[in-house]
Every structure is written in C-alpha cells, then in structure tokens.
Amino acid sequence: MKKKRLVIRTVILFVLGAAVAYTLYANFTKDQVQKVAVGEKAPDFVLTDMDGEKHRLSDYEGQGVFLNFWGTWCKPCEKEMPYMNNQYKQFKDMGVQVLAVNVGETELAVNKFSDRYNLSFPILIDEGQVQSAYGINPLPATFLIDKEGKVIKYITGEMTEATIKDYMEQIKP
C-alpha cells in the first residue's frame, strides 16, 4: 500500500513539475512570437475593405499608417474604435491613415459594428493571412508605420484617445 502511494505521489509531483516548466517556457518565449520587429519594413499585403476597394500597404508609403488589428467581440477594441475614428478625422488631412484589419469575421458583423460607431476609416477583412504574417495575438494590436514603411512601434492592449493622438503625432509625415 505504501509503495502504491509513493508511486502515485511521484507521478503527481512529476506532472506538476512538467506544468511549471511548460508555463515558464511559454512565458519566456511569448515575446518571440511577434514576427514584425520595430525598425523593420512592414510586410506588404493587399486586403479588401467593406466597399470592395483593395488596399495595398505599400501604396501608403509617404504617409503614416496606424495599422490596427481588431475584432467586434473584443471589448478593448470596441472601446478604442470611437477614439481612433475621432483622431483619424483630425489627422487624415495631415498624411496619417488608419487601416483597421478585422480578423476573420463576417461582413455582416463588421458592417453592423461599423454602422453603430459611424466609423469613417477603411475597415479591411483578413481571413488570417495578414494576422499570421504580423504574428498578432492577442487583440487589439496596433503597428505604427512611418512614411518609409518601417514599423516604429508595436502596441498591444487598449489605448486611450490621448495615446492614440500621441501615436498619430509620431507617424505624421
């Protein structure tokens, strides 16, 4: 009986040790998932917006690009969208573009969301290729891209209107 208990305890201890080791490994390597580094040229892509227009990232060279990845189900995304829209209206004539990349939702869901907040910047639908190329996880995620097409900052998590304004100032050509 004692030998059986010892074996069970040893197995439980081994499983707990393996779980701790995996957790430590996952936490130390999570920052390496990002595929686009600050200072690098942003990977080019072509996505279609809600009006059927194609947008190629490289066509925006010479302008600053506020590239935001989001989802309608994401509460922080929902909170920052009106702020992004307000700042887009202020900065679009100064050479700053907002490209909001929705990650794989239906056009119906995205249209309802866009209409609810009266969003005026291009909303692009990604089936996962661009999200994968940029190594996006979790949402929201934003890349600030300068007029040469280089990534100058990568932001994850919810932004305030003041931080969005500051970021747009940073990429204004």
Side-chain angles (χ1 to χ4, degrees), residues 66 68 77-93 96-100 113-123 159-162 164-165 168:
F66 190 90
N68 179 263
C77 302
E78 185 174 3
K79 242 177 144 176
E80 68 188 16
M81 280 292 168
Y83 304 149
M84 285 172 42
N85 200 49
N86 292 342
Q87 293 308 312
Y88 172 68
K89 289 175 184 174
Q90 303 296 317
F91 282 87
K92 68 180 178 183
D93 294 332
V96 175
Q97 290 297 320
V98 170
L99 295 178
F113 184 93
S114 175
D115 290 347
R116 183 173 350 136
Y117 293 101
N118 200 23
L119 302 177
S120 55
F121 46 77
I123 297 175
M159 296 176 283
T160 65
E161 187 154 7
I164 291 171
K165 180 179 183 181
M168 290 191 178

Side-chain angles (χ1 to χ4, degrees), residues 20 32 41 45 48 53 61 77 90 96 107 124 127 132 134:
V20 168
Q32 297 167 7
K41 191 138 177 93
F45 61 82
T48 306
E53 279 186 54
E61 282 195 22
C77 302
Q90 303 296 317
V96 175
E107 281 193 37
L124 315 174
E127 299 299 327
S132 177
Y134 277 76

